[in-house]
Every structure is written in C-alpha cells, then in structure tokens.
Amino acid sequence: MREKSDNGDLPVWLSFELEIDDGTGLVRQKYSKSIDKYLKLAYRKGSLLSTPLGRGDFGKRRADEALSIILKALNKSINNMRILEVGCGDGYILRELKNMGAKEVIGCEPGVGSEEKANKIKVRIIRDFFSPDLFKQKYDLVLSYGVLEHLRQPIKLLMEMSECMETGGLLFAGVPNCERKLILGDPGILAHEHWNYFTPRSLKRTLLAAGLKKVKVAKGRNGAMIYGWGIKSKLIEKEQWLYSDYCLRVKKHTVKLQSRIDKLSGKENDLGFYGGGTQLKGFLKFRSELRFFDGDETKWGKYYPGFKSAIEPAKNLFTNPVRELWIVAIDYDKEIRDHLKQIKLPGEIKVFSLKSFLERNGKL
C-alpha cells in the first residue's frame, strides 16, 4: 500500500513462479533479479501489503495477539529484558513491551515514515535493512512479525538475528499461515512481496535449520498467522565462534604457507603432496608443477582433475625424488609419517607435516 495512486518507477506487472525447498518443505517464489530490485525499491518507499501493527482496530488486534503469544513463549517476566525487533514498522509492539517492563527496546525498519510515529511513542528505531553489525550488544528477545515471508533467505536472517541474542535468549517470528490457502488453491496469496509461503511444518523446519533449540509453533486467531519460537543454544554460539576463527586462521596460514613455497627454487620436482591436497591450489601459488603421492594403489597412474601429474606410489621418490614432500592428509598424518620412516626415504627429501604446522600456528 502507498499513500498515492501514482506507482512512480515501480512496475504494475511482473512474472511469478513458485518452487519448493526440499530441505524445509517451504513453498517459495522463484528468485528473479528484477523482482528483487523492485522490491528493495518498494520497501525504501515504505510500501506495505497490510495494515501496520497497532493502527486501527484490525492492526491493534493483530498486535495484541502477537504480544500475548510472545509472553506465552517467554513464560517469564520481561522485566529488565533487552528486546530487539527486526522490521518493527512504527514500533507499536516495542512500545507495549516497554510499558510492560522491558529494560530496553530497539527496532530496525528500512521503510520511510517510521521516525515520526516512533518519536511520538518514544521508541528508538534504526532506519535501515537489518544487519547484526548495527547492534553492539546482545538481546534477551529478538523478534519479527511479518518479515520472514519477505526475505529470500529466511534461514540466513534467522541466523543473523541469533547473532544479536544472548545464549538462552528467545527468537520469535510471526508469519502468515498459507497452509489452508495452499490446500484450497487460493491464487490470492501470491504476491511478489512474499518470497515464502509458510505452513506450521515448514516454519518449524526453518527455525530448526537456523540452529534454534526447543522450537515450538502456534496458530493465531482464525489460523491466519503462525508464530514460531526457539532458544539460542550454546551450540549456535560455538559454531559462530568456530566459523569466525576458522576464517582468521586460514588467512594467517595462507601467508606462511605461501612464504614457504616462495623459498623453493621453482624448478621441476620442487614439491610433492602426499595424501591429496588439490584444494590448496585454490589459494596458494606454485611456480612448478606439483607431484602427487598416495598409499592407495587404486589411485596410482590416475589424475586429479586439472593437474597434469599422475598420482604416484612413494617408491618413485627413490628414483625421482622431490625437494620437499608435504603430508597434507591431516587425519592420516601419523600413519603416513610412520610409513615413510619405515621405507626410509632418501635423506635429501625434506618432509613437511601440514598437521604439525597448523597445530604450531593455530593461535590467533
């Protein structure tokens, strides 16, 4: 909905295709770059399909229903809670939660027109598309109402919302319930602004796919809305830590490994890999053709895609040695080193254990 009849630079017609996500069972609109572009423009202009929460009798009923289920999901007092709402509109729900005793409330809303209303009800709203980087602290409750259906990647949004939560915090989401209308074949649910068409089952699977625990789902009045919620567990926090640290470590290791390679002469037979290692070619630069060795005889004489050297047995190192042999199979490092000691490689070959290197240089 817009305040004026003029559509401006937004089109009045665009094609529409549906598909289904095999992982969650979520029915969704097939991606189109042009649709995505026009939707972002529409949101910036403040376009809405339905009445904002808290406006008019219908908007107030919808908001009050959401509030009652939020309190049910929390199952405890909201006193001293910090609360973040993604896609908060005018901030009505946040105001009500603040009046109920929340310590701090803040919202994020890209559409125009939210500031004036928010100022009147004394709720802070960041006018921008949601990003975890906008928020420096953690919240006890992170919620959204009528947002996930508008996002092409709802799981990604849920995971980003989780980044803003305390461990043990609650993530809450309300979306239109499309199950009955999908069963009836109702064409009226199809709208370009909705990428996703949730049922209770697909909402639950989506929340679980985002890593939330103790996930529950409830239907609203008349079955028009579905509400789902779940807890941020320590596991999610650990995985996020693991991811961020992994990226930092890979950057650090790449620099040191590249320095080691650059010290080699760049001549033929400079470097050999034992136990795979083709992935390293993706982010390291080698000045000579790599040779590959393996203890699995079924691989001998065959080639890794994109490489000219056939895979060789270790015995070839006696007649045609390399200057440096990298053991790159982390899980089989000890087994390979024991084998190389057993066959007594020529002394001029320097053996380099990638596993030992990573263990020595793992600290950030």
Side-chain angles (χ1 to χ4, degrees):
M1 294 186 297
R2 300 188 64 198
E3 297 293 335
K4 300 178 181 179
S5 61
D6 177 24
N7 216 44
D9 45 6
L10 296 173
V12 294
W13 186 93
L14 287 168
S15 61
F16 197 105
E17 291 184 69
L18 282 178
E19 60 183 9
I20 188 166
D21 179 81
D22 293 332
T24 60
L26 177 60
V27 177
R28 62 192 182 192
Q29 180 185 178
K30 190 172 183 179
Y31 178 70
S32 160
K33 188 180 289 187
S34 62
I35 291 171
D36 194 23
K37 180 184 75 172
Y38 286 121
L39 284 178
K40 287 175 181 175
L41 180 60
Y43 294 142
R44 286 290 187 191
K45 291 175 177 289
S47 176
L48 294 168
L49 279 181
S50 58
T51 306
L53 292 183
R55 288 193 194 176
D57 180 65
F58 180 65
K60 188 175 184 305
R61 278 196 290 119
R62 290 168 62 227
D64 290 344
E65 175 183 271
L67 283 164
S68 68
I69 297 181
I70 288 171
L71 296 176
K72 175 186 174 183
L74 284 168
N75 195 29
K76 59 183 177 182
S77 170
I78 67 168
N79 287 341
N80 298 318
M81 278 193 178
R82 288 188 169 92
I83 300 172
L84 164 65
E85 183 177 6
V86 177
C88 64
D90 294 338
Y92 178 85
I93 283 184
L94 290 174
R95 184 193 69 178
E96 294 301 300
L97 291 170
K98 185 177 181 180
N99 290 341
M100 292 176 190
K103 179 178 181 179
E104 178 186 345
V105 298
I106 187 170
C108 186
E109 173 62 52
V112 297
S114 56
E115 294 94 339
E116 183 180 351
K117 181 77 173 178
N119 289 336
K120 287 182 180 179
I121 63 176
K122 296 181 180 180
V123 170
R124 185 186 169 207
I125 295 177
I126 297 175
R127 189 187 158 197
D128 203 346
F129 287 101
F130 170 75
S131 168
D133 297 335
L134 295 173
F135 305 93
K136 303 304 180 186
Q137 67 177 32
K138 304 294 185 181
Y139 297 89
D140 305 295
L141 168 64
V142 179
L143 66 108
S144 70
Y145 183 104
V147 173
L148 289 183
E149 68 270 24
H150 294 274
L151 274 295
R152 193 166 63 87
Q153 297 176 298
I155 295 173
K156 179 175 181 289
L157 174 68
L158 290 168
M159 295 180 75
E160 289 176 341
M161 289 168 68
S162 293
E163 290 182 40
C164 299
M165 292 166 57
E166 296 280 6
T167 299
L170 185 82
L171 190 152
F172 181 95
V175 296
N177 182 9
C178 297
E179 183 173 43
R180 181 167 52 192
K181 295 173 183 177
L182 287 168
I183 292 171
L184 293 173
D186 179 11
I189 63 171
L190 302 180
H192 288 103
E193 287 195 44
H194 287 179
W195 289 107
N196 306 301
Y197 297 85
F198 288 98
T199 66
R201 290 181 300 278
S202 62
L203 176 59
K204 184 173 184 177
R205 289 171 185 160
T206 300
L207 292 167
L208 288 169
L212 295 168
K213 303 300 178 184
K214 299 182 180 179
V215 172
K216 294 183 179 180
V217 173
K219 292 182 183 179
R221 183 178 180 180
N222 300 327
M225 293 290 293
I226 327 167
Y227 302 95
W229 57 91
I231 302 296
K232 177 179 178 178
S233 68
K234 290 182 179 179
L235 178 63
I236 298 177
E237 194 171 69
K238 182 177 179 181
E239 294 301 318
Q240 290 170 344
W241 163 83
L242 191 63
Y243 164 73
S244 59
D245 276 12
Y246 171 77
C247 294
L248 292 173
R249 285 191 174 96
V250 167
K251 290 178 182 178
K252 176 185 173 183
H253 296 331
T254 300
V255 172
K256 291 190 175 184
L257 289 173
Q258 188 62 60
S259 176
R260 186 180 187 93
I261 293 167
D262 292 342
K263 290 176 182 176
L264 294 172
S265 66
K267 296 179 181 178
E268 187 181 357
N269 291 336
D270 242 359
L271 187 59
F273 279 4
Y274 198 113
T278 56
Q279 299 93 330
L280 295 177
K281 186 71 181 289
F283 49 90
L284 295 173
K285 295 180 180 179
F286 302 94
R287 293 183 291 172
S288 60
E289 186 68 28
L290 286 169
R291 289 174 64 192
F292 296 96
F293 300 87
D294 206 287
D296 184 356
E297 62 183 30
T298 62
K299 296 180 181 178
W300 297 345
K302 297 177 183 176
Y303 297 83
Y304 288 121
F307 293 90
K308 297 178 181 179
S309 300
I311 302 168
E312 307 173 55
K315 66 180 183 180
N316 286 10
L317 290 165
F318 290 91
T319 55
N320 187 16
V322 295
R323 291 178 178 81
E324 196 160 294
L325 181 66
W326 287 21
I327 303 173
V328 293
I330 302 295
D331 296 329
Y332 300 96
D333 178 84
K334 185 178 185 304
E335 182 180 325
I336 294 170
R337 281 195 286 172
D338 288 346
H339 173 66
L340 295 178
K341 285 179 183 177
Q342 185 179 6
I343 65 175
K344 297 180 180 179
L345 280 182
E348 68 267 25
I349 299 177
K350 188 169 186 177
V351 177
F352 172 74
S353 164
L354 182 61
K355 179 176 182 286
S356 298
F357 166 83
L358 297 175
E359 289 173 343
R360 287 195 310 270
N361 294 277
K363 292 183 179 179
L364 295 174

